Amino acid sequence: MARLLALDVGEARIGVAVSDATGFLASPYTTLHVSRNEAETWEAIRRLISETDAEGLVVGLPVSLDGQLHGQARRVQAFAERLKQHITIPLTFWDERLSTVEAERLLAERGQGEPGRRSERGKRRGKQGQRGSGRRKRGHQEVDALAAAVILQEYLDHQPRKTEDEPI
């Protein structure tokens, strides 16, 4: 299987994940900031495709829990349609339901990115506690890239695998 890249497209950031060359394991890669100038976003994605040698792109599609495609899903579809004009590798949508929730759970398990929790130091600082915004931004970026990895891993896990026992 070829190396794949996955995108978790949001309004402000795009989480990016990459698979290993065997198509077995997905890993968080980076987070892109959505630019008002879409040409910059297309160039950043093309650069990532090139540097990872990706041969396919998986885009998370936020299907609602009732199975419908609502506002954000339509925005992601429109984004992907525009993106297709700027890339040469195949693009596939994958249901990303609850991928960000799963990414936040994984980070919380690791002791990072616990939603809604502030450190004791931050509580005592008052206005100075705003210095933590850089950390908060890093946390969001980490969640976005990890959510892309969750999407890609689910996609990889649903692909048929050739085993050593199977005849060729």
Side-chain angles (χ1 to χ4, degrees):
M1 182 174 234
R3 185 177 308 261
L4 300 175
L5 202 64
L7 303 179
D8 179 30
V9 179
E11 291 182 29
R13 293 174 307 276
I14 300 172
V16 181
V18 65
S19 74
D20 63 347
T22 66
F24 183 73
L25 184 65
S27 301
Y29 193 71
T30 190
T31 300
L32 300 175
H33 293 276
V34 176
S35 172
R36 288 186 178 167
N37 177 358
E38 275 194 334
E40 292 176 10
T41 303
W42 308 144
E43 181 54 35
I45 293 170
R46 279 195 305 261
R47 204 171 24 253
L48 289 170
I49 290 168
S50 175
E51 76 185 38
T52 61
D53 295 323
E55 296 179 30
L57 183 63
V58 177
V59 176
L61 187 63
V63 178
S64 68
L65 293 177
D66 65 4
Q68 301 295 311
L69 299 180
H70 296 293
Q72 183 61 18
R74 289 190 185 105
R75 283 189 287 278
V76 169
Q77 285 178 318
F79 173 89
E81 287 305 315
R82 294 188 307 275
L83 173 59
K84 283 181 185 180
Q85 299 169 24
H86 302 277
I87 61 174
T88 58
I89 61 175
L91 184 149
T92 304
F93 288 108
W94 190 254
D95 183 351
E96 71 161 45
R97 254 181 280 203
L98 303 177
S99 62
T100 300
V101 172
E102 177 66 7
E104 287 172 343
R105 184 191 69 74
L106 291 169
L107 287 174
E109 258 181 27
R110 225 169 52 183
Q112 301 176 3
E114 295 179 54
R117 298 221 27 207
R118 295 180 71 189
S119 70
E120 286 299 314
R121 234 178 12 185
K123 286 180 183 175
R124 282 189 243 121
R125 278 186 161 162
K127 283 191 174 183
Q128 289 178 345
Q130 292 175 353
R131 278 197 257 161
S133 67
R135 182 179 186 151
R136 199 166 32 245
K137 284 181 184 175
R138 279 193 306 275
H140 285 303
Q141 291 173 7
E142 191 169 6
V143 167
D144 294 328
L146 189 54
V150 168
I151 293 163
L152 184 54
Q153 191 63 57
E154 288 178 2
Y155 176 82
L156 295 172
D157 290 348
H158 283 85
Q159 300 309 300
R161 297 216 177 272
K162 198 179 241 187
T163 63
E164 290 180 30
D165 298 349
E166 286 182 23
I168 298 181

